[in-house]
Every structure is written in structure tokens, then in C-alpha cells.
Amino acid sequence: MRPSAGNERPPGRPVSGFVPGFAAGAPPPAAGASPFGAAAPLARPGGPAGPFAPPTQQQGPPVAQAAASPRGPFGAAPPAAMGGYRGPPPPQGSFGAGPPPPGPFSAAPPPQGPFGMAPPAQGPFGAAPPPSQGPFGATTPPSQGPIGAAPPPQGPFGAVPSSQGPFGTAPPPFRPPPSALLQPQSPTGNTMPSPTYVRPPPVQSQPQPVQGYYPGGPNPQFPPSRPSFQQPMQNMPPPSMGPPSSYSNQPAYPTTGPPMGTLQTLVEDFQSLSVSSAPGSLDPGVDVNGLPRPLYGDEEPAKVLEAFPLNCHPRYFRLTTHTIPASQSLVSRWHLPLGAVVHPLAEAPDGEEVPVVNFGSAGVIRCRRCRTYINPYATFADAGRKWRCNLCTLLNDVPGEYFCALDASGRRFDADQRPELSKGTVEFVAPTEYMVRPPMPPSYFFLIDVSVSAVRSGLLEVVAKTIKSCLDDLLGFPRTQIGFLTFDSTLHFHNFKSSLSQPQMMVVADLDDVFLPLPDDLLVNLVDSRHVVESFLDNLPNMFQDNVNVESALGPALKAAFMVMGQIGGKLLVFQSTLPSLGIGRLRLRGDDVRAYGTDKEHILRIPEDPFYKQMAAEFTKNQIAVDIFSLSDKYCDIASLGSLAKYTGGQVYHYPSFQATTHGEKLKHELSRDLTRETAWESVMRIRCGKGVRFTTYHGHFMLRSTDLLALPAVDSDKAFAMQLSLEETLMTTQTVYFQVALLYTSSSGERRIRVHTAAAPVVTDLGEMYRQADTGAIVSVLARIAVENSLSDKLDSVRQQLQLKLVKSLKEYRNLYVVQHRIGGRLIYPESLRYLPLYILALCKSLALRGGYADVSLDERCAAGFSIMILPARRLLNFIYPSLYRLDEVLTVEPDMIDGALKRLPLTLQCLDTAGLYLLDDGFTFLVWLGRMLQPELMNDILGVSLSNFPDLSKIQLRECDNNHSRNFMAVQRALRERDSSCYQLPRVVRQGEQPREGFLLLSNLVEDQMAGTSSYMDWILQIHRQTQSS
Ligand SMILES: [Zn+2]
């Protein structure tokens, strides 16, 4: 059977839709008046005539090849290796026998692959499906969907048979690491002086005397009492937000708390809050000032490195508790997630660089059984001729080229000179066994909606200018590939052949049977075709300026992009400004439905309606294409569906509601520039191995799971983090240490195949208290937030929030039980120092855009976009997203410019911190919200806004630009300082005046997560609730 070929046209089909030189829907220009001058000759694909007639056999679409053709992307790949990376040569050891494992994307047996139900002989883009069926028509999505497809037993990293567990053949007993590497199991053991707990002054978080290797928290100074917010707001937020009842009836810092300075001497290492009140009294008895607040953001558990100096830095790999419970019973008492957050390409800590190691002829040194890479925890034996794998304990031969003698302690003499033996993070140069084709060139393909809404919003100009300004900085010079496809109700291909002086546009109007009007020159080398590309970008805004077409054929455009990019892979950037309305993948205006909330149908609005996007994503991932979605609609555009393209390809969703170039142009410009120029790992896969007895069970983030534990990431960069959960495979752990190793195999932009390896060790503990002491709130919140977002795709928001609360309560209850009896602390809420911010973060998560409220509290698209963001954010950014940073600025604007950064002090997120005479800025990492108090000095306000408020400017449209005065200059300096702290996103300033409803409600009040609003608890009420629940039996 002939490979099916979606870009071929069946004989005899009309080509009436094929119109050169202008967009259908626009009036045909006079001859020769197409935007690029001479109209391209009309080609009839499949016919003999036109200059662009595609060769009929040479360009079967890659998908079809994967299924039916033995040709790899560059013709060199073995039959089963399409799109994936073959592992290294079959190991010689016990797993070495048998034929080489099939590549991860090889033609899997039908019931397993993501498209398993499709007839194997017909690619998903089969040439001639029955008319009633779309290309995916016959495909009943398997119950698992592309994610969770049954894995081939062996992935590219030479995984082990899943049925057996990695160590099926009774390995020798796990040898404890040499004492030099061994840390006391319980670094916080009893050798430390017993801390004496003294009830802290107003601010809790009094650092404890040294406890374990985590520092006591910083000592955030609660701001001195400010004039409280006494004037009740005159305008209430809209009903949907609920009245912010905390405005006037919540007292300013209560003075009725328990007597301060109660000295309760406790010889244990936990924190407690007095919540006691006389029986029957309604007086909550909580000192609001004393509640812990994370005003210093994420606390990277850098102290782990003191106990485990050979570990990778925790910014690459963080466990939710840096311990491994020794037994199942201990696991069942740890009610928080047991797992990790991995940020494989995080920026290296200051002053460090990831060392690159080339093993040369010795080849990459790996354990022949479990495929672990050599690392600082490996030990050497037999005078240096053998090395023992720290994950599976197998004794491996040391290749002759890699041999080095050992010193008296059994350490290699060259250990300090070799990064792989002394550093937790290294990068190996991968030899040719790690590739099935030459490393791909970085390639960028842009799919740009040019329908009327895109034109009117000014999108085209911003996109064209930004891309043009980035051309010198695109990754991979001089190999970079680039191409563009524009679309409305038709598809517009652009020929960038280097010999042309201007690009040629070819329009394909047949959406049911998309084909390429040209075999080559749609994705071209940037150096060769630079002048043609620049000419295109210069003309793009004008080309469609009169377009009145309202339709969007996104689905067919995606298929066309796939045909163009499929052979190479790369990044596909989609700019969508309206709901896809034509062809496959058209979406309904299903919008939000108040009746669905609270029912078991509620979640359906948050999941893709049409399986097309998920299926398309699976095809993209197979062919090493990562999709970034830029959604810029002023109406509902079904981010839930569009986002799945990013979700399963390692991509990202950018959402600019009601995009207008004049307002949002800067933000789009910065974020698009970063997307195009940040260092990117191409065609990558990631696997995390762990030692005997534990196993990663679920993964959360943007990727496609290629086998049980192999994450396919067509592209990944420093802005993406992943979370995963861990389970114990044995009832009782017999080792003292468990090792983890993250390996990311990728192609660098310079075209080198690399493996980035992070290795970490964690102690096995038998003490629940130790698990709590080593708990990492940032990692816990990262895992919990991702699970919550995923649960919101199959459950009601309310249930999701309740589940979060339940986890918190169970965990604090368990902790309480550890101490309550011996210390008679009945009336106090106790919690471990390490988790002192967890209750607030969980409250904030429940009030986040993704999980807050119900119908009308957040627009459906915004909610879904926030969910997609949460899935990829590294811990620090995630924590700042759910508990944003609030600063008072009016006082900062008078300091010397170079003192500004240091003068910014975070405030608790409560209305009570807002002085009506103040100017405040709230930074959630995506937006700067500038709040002008009602009594703010008019001069200051005018200086900053550049206009007088007495002119009643529309603050929703106001642009903050630097004006010629010190206030304004400093105000800009503040914004720059905050943006420099994290350049992954560009916070666009939005200005709101106190009392300006409903904007104030949406923009600011909903972010004041410590206050009561719309039926949610205030922080104080939340603590009381949690306390009550931890006490109940
Ligand atoms: Zn091993």
C-alpha cells in the first residue's frame, strides 16, 4: 500500500480554491497587484503544469512515514526510529539480549499508541478518508489518550522492563555509601541545643535556634501600624465578586488577642500559634499580626547542600521533603504529596556554570543494568577497574580509557578534576549512538491569524516588528530555519526562496484536503533567505490591512504547518485572535455556563471539546515540534482546547485578553522576544531514575509521556519546570540513602547532542518528625498546585479546593499527634517550622485565578490560561503568582535611584496594609497592578500618570511612560528592578484608583488573599478553621 499523503491531492479533485497572490475573502487585486508584486503562477498540485507542482512521491507527510515508510526524517533512520532517539547500543548485560527495542515512536501496536485505533496502514492524515470523516474521523480516542498510552517497555534511555521493576534480579544488598558521603540520617538529631520556644513578638517566624539544616525563617517585619482602611468603599465590587466584607467590619490589627509574650517553653522544634479562647467564646484569640507570611518568597532549600554537598543544586531538583520514608506506614502518615519538582534547565546559581564533559573514545560511562550515568556517588573498587552503580549497586567495568588508580580511601586520584565525579550537575557530550539523525537545526515556524480581529488589534505590526528585531538573535546561527503561514478563511503560504527578491504568497482555499502548494522554500535557512524574510515582515501589517475576513481556519493551518515542519521539527508559534471557525478543529462558542457550576458537568468547560487538538499535539510531539500558543482574542477563544497543543508538546500558553497593540504591545514584544531567544533544548527527552525501592508514578507539566517514565519534550527551556509524585515500592526500605538522577537528552542550539544530568541523594528516615523538618513548602505547593489544576479538569472547583484543605488538615493533624500529648498544647495550632507558610499558600491557591470561585469570578479562558501557567512555573514564580508581592511605593519614589531595589519591602496581602494616602504596586509575575489611594497627593499622581486625574482619564487605557520628573523616573526604575529579578515574563502595568469598581475588585481586591471575599475565608478564619479541624477526631 502506498503511504498515505495528506499533501497530495487525489486525482480529479478540483483546485478551485487555489488562488495565487491574495487572500480569499479580499477582493481580487488587479493583475500584478498582489502584495508581493507578480502573482505566483497558479500551481496545480498533482498536475503536471505549475512550477510548484509537488513531486508526488517525495514528500509523503512524516506521519505517514512513521506509520508505513521506513524512511527516517533524514533518510538515515532505521525503520522503527522515526522521530525519536534510539538509545545507546543494546547493553551487554542481562538486559542486552534480544532485538534492539523499538524506538519510542515506532509503529506501536494499535491498542497502545496514541492513535492506536486508527487502521495501521493509514496514517492519521490518510489520503482518502470517507467523506464524512475528518482525517481523524475514524480514530476513536483510546481511553488513555496520548498521555498515559501504554509504554513500549524500553525507551531511548534503555529503560528496564516495567513488569519487573528495575531490579528484578535480586541485586546485591544495597551498599551504603562511603562514610565520607554519608550524612547522619537525621541531621536535625538531638545533638543540637534544644530550642526554647518563646512566643514571638507580633511577627511570628522568629527564627528558631538552629534546627536541622534548614534555616529558621526570615523575620519579616510586619509594617508598623498604618492608618487603617477606615473609609468603607463606596462602590462595592460586582455581585460576582461578593462584597469584600472585610472592608469595614474587620478590625485593624486586633488588640484583643491573647496576652502577648506568653512564654510557653517547649523543648521541641515546632511552631505554634495560640488560638485558644475561653470555651464558648467567639473571640477567635488569634493574633493576626503573628500569622506567618512568606514575605521573602520562595526559600530554596539550599541547606540540603550542606548535608549533601555532592547533590545538584536544589533549584534543579527539589523533593517535597528531603527524606525518603522507610516504610509504607510512614508514607500513609505523610498526607502531603511525596514527590519532586524538576527544573532541568534552571539558570545556574550565581557564579556557577554547568561543566561539559566529553568522554571521547571511552563513551559515556553508564551502568550497564540501570543505565545510570556515572556521578559523584558512584564508588570504585578492584583498584579502580570497577565502579559500583549507586542506584542499583551493580559492579561495572571501568573502560580502559577511563581508568584511574585509587587512593588509600578508595577514591580516584582524579576525582576532583573530573566534574562528573565531583559535581551534582554536569552535561555530557553525547556521541552518535544518541542520535537517529543529525542534530536538527533550530527552526521557527509562525502561524499567524490575519483575520479582521487580528488586523484591528494591531497584532500583525507588533508580531512582525518583534520577529524582525530578533532575527539576529534567533538560536542556531547559521543553521536557523524560519517560515511563516498566515491564515483567515484560507491558508496563505509564503515562498521564501533565496533567489527571490520578495516572497510570493500562494493561497490554498481547500480546507478539507490541505496540501502544500510548493515542495520547498516554505521553511528556509534564515541566512540564505534573510532579505526575503525581512521583506515579508516589513510588508505583513500592510498586506492584510484591508482584510475584513472574520473566519479562522486554524485546524487546517495547523495541518499545513505540520506538513511543512514535520521533517525537521522545531518551534511552532501560533498567534490566534479569534475562535477557530472553519475546517477541522473548528470550535463552538461554548463559553461559560452558570448552570454547569456545582454540577458534575462543570469541568467539561475546562477540557478540550474536540479531540483534534490533542491528537494534533501527539503528532507534533512525535515529530519534535513544540507549540506555543499566543491567544490574543477579545472574546472567548477556547483556551482549554487550544492550550492542549502546548500541553502535550512541551509548549507554553500566553494569554492576552482583549489584546490591543497600543496597550499590550510592549508585553507581547518582550515575551515573544524572550520566547525566540532564550536558550532552548531541542528534540529532547527526560527521564528521572531513582534508587531501589522508590518509583516515580505520575508526572505533571507540559510534555508527552512516551513510556512509563520517559517525558518527550520537543523543546524545553529555562522557563519550564515539572513535578512528579513518588511512591514506595517496598514495604520496608533497606537502604539508608536513595539516589535520584535526572537526565535530559537534547540537541543544543549549536547542534550538539548533549545530556544534562542532575544527581541527588536523600536519606531514608524512620521518623515522621524528620520528614516534617525536611519538608519543602515551595516543592509541596508546586506539586499540589499542579495536581489541583489537573483535578479541576475532572471535578468541580469546589471539590478541588476541599481536597486541598483536607490534605492540609490531615497533615497538620498528624503532626499535632506527634507532640500534643507530651506537651499539653491543646489550645494551640502547631505546625512545623518548615511548613509555616503552607496554610496561607493553600488558601492563596484556592483563591488563585485557576481555582477561585465559580461562574463569573474569572472568565473561562483566563482560568484555563492560569491553569496552563501553573503547570509549568518553577516554584519561585508559582509562589509569587499565588501570593503576589505588594509594595508601597510613594515612600520609595523619593529615595536615590540606586537605593530603590533595597527599599522595596513586601507587605501582607490585606486591605489593612493599604493606606488611602499611599501608592502601591502588586506584582504577580505577569502584571503590575498600580493602586492609587484616594488621598494620594495629586502632584505625585500627576507626575506618575503624566496626566491630571481631574481630567478623568480612562485608567484602563492609560500608558505609563517615563515623564520628566523624579517621581516618574523612580517609578520606572522600580518596574525595571522588579522585572530584572525575573525576566521570563513582562509585567504590564495597569492602573486602578481606589474605589474604581469593578476594576478594583478584579485587579486588586481579588488578589488580597488574606481578606475575606465572596464567601472565602480570611487568613485568620482559615487558621481557625484548620485548627478546629485538626482537633476534631
Ligand atoms: Zn545501575
Side-chain angles (χ1 to χ4, degrees), residues 31-341:
S34 89
F36 290 112
L42 192 147
R44 287 180 180 273
F52 300 121
T56 51
Q57 285 302 324
Q58 285 166 7
Q59 49 163 25
V63 175
Q65 284 177 11
S69 154
R71 270 192 310 124
F74 288 95
M82 171 64 194
Y85 278 88
R86 194 164 32 123
Q92 310 86 353
S94 52
F95 292 101
F105 282 125
S106 63
Q112 294 181 342
F115 292 95
M117 299 302 282
Q122 189 187 343
F125 294 109
S132 63
Q133 294 169 337
F136 290 112
T139 308
T140 308
S143 56
Q144 303 130 305
I147 294 297
Q154 290 187 331
F157 277 71
V160 292
S162 55
S163 61
Q164 242 187 336
F167 312 103
T169 53
F174 206 78
R175 207 179 65 124
S179 56
L181 306 178
L182 243 193
Q183 295 305 320
Q185 255 199 49
S186 185
T188 55
N190 297 326
T191 53
M192 300 297 177
S194 299
T196 302
Y197 182 77
V198 177
R199 175 137 186 81
V203 176
Q204 180 268 333
S205 300
Q206 178 86 0
Q208 292 282 308
V210 186
Q211 308 170 3
Y213 50 73
Y214 286 82
N219 193 353
Q221 289 301 322
F222 202 86
S225 276
R226 301 194 177 285
S228 66
F229 201 91
Q230 285 157 350
Q231 296 163 295
M233 307 296 268
Q234 306 210 326
N235 302 308
M236 286 294 153
S240 58
M241 290 297 299
S245 52
S246 56
Y247 274 24
S248 50
N249 60 10
Q250 185 172 329
Y253 297 99
T255 50
T256 54
M260 302 299 280
T262 305
L263 299 182
Q264 186 161 2
T265 309
L266 294 171
V267 279
E268 258 305 343
D269 47 359
F270 55 81
Q271 294 275 11
S272 72
L273 271 175
S274 171
V275 283
S276 57
S277 53
S281 160
L282 292 177
D283 176 6
V286 172
D287 171 18
V288 172
N289 293 9
L291 294 174
R293 293 178 169 88
L295 301 183
Y296 289 81
D298 179 34
E299 296 170 339
E300 235 168 30
K303 291 271 173 162
V304 166
L305 290 174
E306 288 173 15
F308 295 92
L310 299 177
N311 270 16
C312 64
H313 194 281
R315 73 177 48 181
Y316 301 115
F317 178 85
R318 288 164 78 159
L319 288 164
T320 52
T321 164
H322 202 81
T323 56
I324 297 299
S327 64
Q328 291 290 0
S329 68
L330 210 49
V331 174
S332 63
R333 293 168 67 198
W334 172 255
H335 300 278
L336 295 167
L338 190 62
V341 184

Side-chain angles (χ1 to χ4, degrees), residues 367 370 389 392:
C367 172
C370 72
C389 170
C392 76

Side-chain angles (χ1 to χ4, degrees), residues 367 369-372 389 391-394:
C367 172
R369 176 159 61 195
C370 72
R371 310 304 293 152
T372 290
C389 170
L391 267 80
C392 76
T393 72
L394 184 77

Side-chain angles (χ1 to χ4, degrees), residues 876-891:
R876 186 167 56 93
R877 289 194 61 208
L878 176 65
L879 296 185
N880 192 58
F881 181 50
I882 62 175
Y883 191 87
S885 309
L886 175 67
Y887 307 97
R888 181 168 186 162
L889 293 194
D890 48 317
E891 292 156 355

